[in-house]
């Protein structure tokens, strides 16, 4: 509540004149900013069953509010929505203009220790914490998370809607097509790939005059014109002419011929399934393309730069500009060739014009959730969208988001990439830890998805747990390095003993966490995370001193080595000749001022997934570096990291089917 005028005047009187004016301006501004509208939020009551049913059984038994009710309770007007059926909708970006003067809510990032291949319940904790804040503490809250890829959904990891009694629903919609955003990215990305290959072919088949005439043909009246994207290319070239007839022969050649160096092409194709046989492919095998055959390959769609742009953009105009800046290759004289140069940036924007709008859904307890963007966490930057967060922060008291995989990957990228572009700073980091993961880091047997856990993980073993606490310590130290408050959430399983969870709690305080709380949200929903929510609220009231790990002015190698040495604790970094050449090229092109997005295994601080705990005395190997100039980062590929995952012997799709009697999806998890 804003202070009364009398108390403001009294406070100002004791200050110097300049400071007094500043304080008055601050108080007036605070008073003028509209407060968040109190909603008539009604939590959805959970009916907890024992034993806890499967995720999909719980989700399908959940009581759904209409999405219009969810929106109304949050303060979103009906005309600010685009409905996709009764239980999901897109939020129009115009809402930001209406809410621009509202103060932001509290920003919370949920991250985790280095996980087992089973995952440690980070999304489940994110949802459970939100349910606790909204349904049990009476806070206005939004859960802001990524949309999952169909790769892990049908592969080995399963869906990403949360789990148990802490999920986003409808769970089937969340894990599958949702509103088609990932399909739009697939189409847009492959349109660029098709346009790129076609351009290389046509340039080889035509001289400058024919090429120019094909790009700017005469209409029936004999007139030529430039398309809007062509005018952008002319501006880049420094040609200030708008009539094609005015271009000199030399200008026509510069405009029409991209002269792509095929050895520098970095734009591959994408598909949103784990298809290992598409990692390397030979294209151009048709009879009409004879002589133009070449090697290419596929990445998974969520690793596309278009996905990264979607997650990092701040609006439709910004997105259009970023698409135009995406680099696909360099020319033979060393200049960057962009999507704008290919003339496709406008078409890509058209394909993405609906995908830019965040999706609105709900949790099992009826609290609102935004689901938007889904860049891979170990390949790309692993964060939901800036736009969704900006909208949520204007509407809610608390916005709980998550950063993908362990804190060495997700949290580091959240701070150094997402926070740079959004200007949003989190007040609290929630570090999720489990007994089983810490036992693994202490030297426990190998954890394999789909196979029963060894007894070491289900029986009390304090010595093993004690040995693994070094992993938690390092992640907490890394979070504190950024100057934010840390709360540890011990995501508790039924087999955990009191002595084990107490050992983690005591260690967390010792390592510098502000609090450490045992949470049972998987089995108990928001009620099981109530103490965690109270700890987060308390931590959010404490002062923070956020700072980035590195300045952007730092050279590429120094930024890479800063992350490797201070976050992973590597002794140093080695580069292949290919990576060295790419660093020199990107520095020459002016991309050296971009932040770094490491593509690394999520299962270890090192590039070797088998090395657990908190290793030291190792080096990082950079195989290659790719430029996501449109998204705004460089991503070094470390070790054997792949941008297209593969399927195991028994993928998750074996269990997915349709119940022919009820029409319900079965087998998702």
């Amino acid at each position: 509540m804003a202070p009364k005028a009398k108390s403001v005047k009294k406070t100002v009187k004791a200050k110097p004149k300049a400071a007094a004016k500043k304080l008055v301006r601050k108080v007036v501004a605070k008073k003028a900013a509209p407060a968040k509208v109190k909603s008539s939020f009604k939590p959805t009551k959970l009916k907890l069953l024992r034993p806890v049913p499967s995720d999909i059984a719980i989700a399908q038994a959940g009581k759904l509010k209409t999405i219009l009710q969810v929106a109304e309770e949050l303060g979103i007007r009906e005309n600010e929505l685009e409905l996709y059926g009764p239980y999901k909708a897109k939020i129009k970006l115009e809402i930001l203009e209406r809410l621009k003067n509202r103060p932001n809510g509290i920003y919370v990032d949920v991250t985790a220790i280095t996980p087992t291949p089973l995952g440690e319940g980070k999304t489940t904790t994110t949802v459970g914490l939100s349910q606790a804040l909204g349904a049990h503490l009476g806070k206005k809250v939004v859960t802001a998370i990524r949309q999952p890829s169909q790769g892990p959904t049908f592969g080995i990891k399963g869906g990403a809607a949360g789990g148990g009694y802490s999920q986003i629903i409808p769970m089937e919609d969340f894990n599958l097509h949702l509103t088609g955003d990932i399909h739009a990215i697939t189409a847009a990305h492959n349109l660029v790939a098709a346009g790129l290959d076609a351009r290389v072919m046509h340039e080889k088949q035509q001289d400058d005059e024919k090429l120019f005439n094909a790009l700017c043909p005469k209409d029936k009246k004999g007139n030529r014109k430039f398309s809007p994207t062509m005018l952008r290319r002319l501006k880049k070239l420094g040609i200030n002419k708008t009539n094609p007839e005015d271009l000199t022969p030399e200008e026509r050649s510069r405009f029409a011929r991209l002269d792509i160096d095929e050895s520098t092409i970095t734009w591959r194709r994408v598909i949103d399934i784990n298809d290992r046989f598409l990692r390397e492919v030979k294209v151009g095998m048709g009879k009409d393309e004879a002589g133009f055959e070449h090697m290419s390959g596929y990445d998974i769609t969520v690793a596309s730069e278009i996905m990264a742009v979607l997650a990092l953009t701040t609006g439709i105009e910004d997105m259009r500009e970023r698409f135009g800046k995406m680099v696909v290759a360099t020319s033979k004289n060393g200049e960057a060739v962009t999507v704008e140069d290919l003339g496709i940036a406008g078409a890509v924007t058209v394909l993405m014009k609906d995908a830019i709008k965040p999706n609105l859904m709900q949790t099992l307890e009826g609290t609102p959730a935004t689901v938007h963007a889904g860049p891979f966490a170990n390949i790309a930057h692993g964060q939901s969208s800036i736009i969704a967060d900006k909208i949520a922060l204007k509407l809610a008291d608390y916005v709980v988001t998550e950063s993908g995989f362990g804190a060495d990957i997700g949290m580091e990228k959240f701070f150094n990439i997402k926070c740079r572009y959004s200007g949003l700073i989190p007040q609290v980091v929630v570090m999720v830890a489990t007994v089983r993961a810490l036992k693994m880091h202490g030297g426990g047997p190998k954890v394999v998805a789909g196979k029963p856990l060894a007894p070491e993980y289900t029986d009390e073993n304090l010595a093993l747990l004690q040995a693994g606490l070094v992993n938690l310590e390092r992640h907490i130290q890394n979070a504190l390095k950024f100057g934010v408050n840390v709360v540890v959430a011990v995501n508790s399983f039924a087999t955990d003993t009191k002595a084990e969870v107490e050992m983690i709690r005591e260690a967390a305080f010792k390592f510098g966490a502000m609090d450490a709380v045992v949470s049972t949200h998987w089995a108990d929903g928001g009620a099981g995370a109530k103490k965690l929510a109270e700890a987060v609220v308390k931590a959010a009231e404490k002062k923070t001193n956020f700072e980035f790990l590195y300045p952007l002015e730092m050279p590429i190698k120094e930024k890479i080595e800063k992350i490797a040495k201070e976050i992973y604790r590597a002794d140093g970094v080695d580069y292949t000749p290919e990576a060295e050449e790419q660093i020199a090229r990107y520095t020459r092109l002016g991309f050296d001022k971009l932040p770094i997005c490491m593509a690394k295994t999520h299962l270890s601080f090192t590039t070797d997934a088998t090395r657990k705990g908190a290793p030291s005395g190792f080096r990082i190997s950079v195989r290659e570096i790719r430029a996501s100039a449109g998204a705004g980062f460089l991503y070094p590929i470390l070790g054997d990291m792949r941008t297209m995952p593969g399927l195991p012997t028994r993928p998750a799709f074996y269990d997915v089917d349709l119940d022919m009697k009820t029409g319900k999806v079965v087998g998702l998890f």
Side-chain angles (χ1 to χ4, degrees):
M1 183 180 291
K4 295 178 181 178
K6 185 176 180 181
S7 61
V8 173
K9 188 175 180 181
K10 185 177 180 180
T11 305
V12 172
K13 190 175 181 181
K15 301 269 183 183
K17 190 173 182 181
K21 287 183 178 180
K22 184 177 180 181
L23 181 59
V24 168
R25 285 197 300 270
K26 185 176 179 181
V27 172
V28 169
K30 185 176 180 182
K31 192 173 182 180
K36 291 182 176 64
V37 178
K38 291 294 180 182
S39 69
S40 54
F41 171 73
K42 294 180 181 178
T44 303
K45 290 186 178 181
L46 293 176
K47 184 179 180 181
L48 304 177
L49 299 179
R50 297 293 185 267
V52 177
S54 67
D55 289 350
I56 194 165
I58 292 172
Q60 290 179 343
K63 186 179 179 182
L64 284 156
K65 300 176 182 179
T66 66
I67 203 65
L68 287 173
Q69 181 183 347
V70 174
E72 182 182 9
E73 291 176 348
L74 186 58
I76 301 174
R77 297 170 180 171
E78 187 174 348
N79 64 0
E80 293 170 334
L81 295 175
E82 290 178 0
L83 299 179
Y84 283 70
Y87 305 119
K88 56 187 176 181
K90 279 192 168 293
I91 306 171
K92 297 178 183 177
L93 303 192
E94 290 81 356
I95 193 173
L96 281 169
E97 178 62 26
R98 176 170 71 85
L99 302 177
K100 64 182 179 181
N101 292 324
R102 286 191 187 175
N104 284 344
I106 300 296
Y107 202 27
V108 179
D109 177 47
V110 179
T111 186
I113 62 171
T114 306
T116 69
L118 306 177
E120 305 318 305
K122 182 159 45 58
T123 303
T124 309
T125 302
T126 301
V127 177
L129 171 58
S130 297
Q131 290 179 163
L133 286 165
H136 299 272
L137 296 188
K139 306 293 185 182
K140 205 172 182 184
V141 64
V142 172
T143 312
I145 58 178
R146 292 177 293 163
Q147 180 185 354
S149 163
Q150 289 182 163
T153 297
F154 292 123
I156 193 168
K157 193 173 183 291
Y165 287 101
S166 295
Q167 296 187 59
I168 305 293
I169 52 175
M171 181 256 230
E172 306 96 308
D173 293 16
F174 179 99
N175 283 318
L176 298 174
H177 307 286
L178 195 53
T179 56
D181 296 348
I182 292 180
H183 300 317
I185 292 166
T186 303
H189 184 108
N190 291 336
L191 177 64
V192 174
L196 172 59
D197 280 348
R199 184 60 173 266
V200 171
M201 182 184 76
H202 290 309
E203 286 197 13
K204 286 184 175 180
Q205 292 176 324
Q206 302 173 62
D207 60 26
D208 290 351
E209 183 180 358
K210 286 183 178 179
L211 194 59
F212 179 79
N213 289 335
L215 290 172
C216 299
K218 292 183 178 180
D219 61 20
K220 292 179 180 179
K221 295 182 179 180
N223 299 319
R224 305 179 194 267
K225 69 175 182 178
F226 290 123
S227 65
T229 187
M230 290 176 175
L231 293 172
R232 289 172 181 253
R233 172 160 170 76
L234 288 167
K235 184 177 180 181
K236 171 185 172 180
L237 296 172
I239 301 173
N240 299 313
K241 297 176 181 178
T242 57
N243 185 347
E245 301 294 355
D246 293 340
L247 268 63
T248 66
E250 188 272 336
E251 289 172 337
R252 289 187 176 196
S253 177
R254 288 179 60 210
F255 161 75
R257 189 164 297 280
L258 301 181
D259 204 22
I260 293 169
D261 179 350
E262 293 171 65
S263 69
T264 67
I265 290 176
T266 55
W267 196 271
R268 292 151 54 93
R269 286 151 172 83
V270 298
I271 189 170
D272 196 44
I273 54 174
N274 292 354
D275 193 343
R276 65 171 73 238
F277 285 91
L278 291 178
R279 287 171 178 165
E280 301 293 333
V281 299
K282 193 170 187 178
V283 298
M285 301 298 289
K287 64 178 183 179
D288 293 335
E289 291 74 44
F292 297 99
E293 307 92 338
H294 63 276
M295 295 303 297
S296 184
Y298 279 76
D299 299 326
I300 195 159
T301 297
V302 288
S304 167
E305 184 174 357
I306 294 175
M307 173 63 88
V309 169
L310 178 66
L312 292 172
T313 191
T314 54
I316 192 73
E317 291 181 6
D318 175 71
M319 185 173 74
R320 172 65 179 80
E321 292 298 318
R322 286 175 180 266
F323 286 155
K325 291 177 182 177
M326 294 188 300
V327 174
V328 298
T330 55
S331 65
K332 290 176 182 176
N333 65 2
E335 295 178 351
V337 178
T338 66
V339 172
E340 197 75 73
D341 293 326
L342 289 171
I344 311 176
V348 169
T349 306
V350 169
L351 286 171
M352 294 293 294
K353 69 180 179 62
D354 293 317
I356 193 175
K357 303 165 190 170
N359 304 295
L360 182 65
M361 298 185 77
Q362 65 191 287
T363 70
L364 280 166
E365 296 192 56
T367 57
T370 56
V371 183
H372 199 216
F376 247 33
N378 49 2
I379 298 171
H381 63 291
Q383 318 293 331
S384 58
S385 78
I386 286 174
I387 284 179
D389 288 2
K390 282 182 173 288
I391 292 172
L393 284 163
K394 293 298 183 184
L395 291 165
D397 302 320
Y398 288 82
V399 173
V400 183
T401 189
E402 66 169 314
S403 47
F405 288 132
D408 59 314
I409 297 179
M411 183 195 70
E412 183 272 314
K413 296 175 183 178
F414 177 76
F415 289 147
N416 284 318
I417 299 175
K418 184 175 181 179
C419 289
R420 283 187 197 272
Y421 288 119
S422 69
L424 304 172
I425 306 300
Q427 284 86 345
V428 183
V429 162
V430 175
M431 186 74 65
V432 179
T434 62
V435 169
R436 75 181 180 198
L438 290 170
K439 285 180 176 178
M440 179 192 70
H441 289 296
K446 188 176 182 180
V447 176
V448 180
K451 293 185 179 181
L453 288 169
E456 287 88 342
Y457 296 110
T458 54
D459 298 339
E460 182 173 282
N461 192 324
L462 297 178
L464 203 58
L465 179 61
Q466 179 70 52
L469 287 170
V470 291
N471 188 267
L472 175 63
E473 179 179 20
R474 182 170 292 180
H475 284 297
I476 291 175
Q477 288 174 348
N478 285 347
L480 294 174
K481 199 182 292 280
F482 290 92
V484 295
N485 301 322
V486 178
V487 172
V488 171
V490 183
N491 182 23
S492 187
F493 294 82
T495 54
D496 298 346
T497 69
K498 186 176 181 180
E500 287 174 332
V501 295
E502 276 304 310
M503 178 178 280
I504 297 174
R505 288 190 70 251
E506 290 176 10
F509 282 110
K510 179 183 175 182
F511 299 152
M514 191 162 285
D515 206 341
V517 182
V518 178
S519 191
T520 60
H521 45 276
W522 180 81
D524 301 319
K530 187 175 179 183
K531 288 184 178 179
L532 174 61
E534 290 170 344
V536 167
V537 170
K538 187 175 180 181
E541 295 170 352
K542 303 295 183 180
K543 185 180 178 182
T544 58
N545 186 30
F546 180 83
E547 58 181 353
F548 296 115
L549 183 68
Y550 54 80
L552 293 180
E553 293 72 26
M554 204 178 253
I556 294 172
K557 277 190 175 182
E558 288 185 27
K559 283 183 281 199
I560 292 172
E561 288 160 15
K562 185 85 169 174
I563 296 169
K565 291 178 179 179
E566 295 201 20
I567 301 299
Y568 310 153
R569 306 300 202 279
D571 286 349
V573 181
D574 300 315
Y575 304 87
T576 65
E578 181 183 8
E580 292 278 10
E581 188 278 329
Q582 289 162 335
I583 289 170
R585 185 196 315 160
Y586 296 147
T587 300
R588 186 180 70 250
L589 293 172
F591 300 155
D592 55 317
K593 301 299 187 291
L594 296 175
I596 299 296
C597 181
M598 299 285 221
K600 182 183 81 70
T601 177
H602 59 289
L603 297 173
S604 173
F605 277 106
T606 73
T607 55
D608 179 357
T610 65
R611 295 193 66 177
K612 306 301 181 183
S616 58
F618 63 92
R619 296 183 68 82
I620 293 291
S621 175
V622 177
R623 190 176 84 230
E624 65 173 298
I625 300 177
R626 299 182 186 177
S628 290
F633 57 74
L634 300 177
Y635 65 106
I637 299 178
L638 310 185
D640 295 325
M641 188 68 222
R642 295 186 182 277
T643 52
M644 169 58 83
L647 289 172
T649 304
R650 192 195 187 284
F653 61 61
Y654 271 88
D655 300 312
V656 179
D657 212 324
L658 199 65
D659 186 317
M660 295 302 165
K661 292 182 179 179
T662 64
K664 289 184 176 180
V665 175
V666 296
L668 283 177
F669 68 99

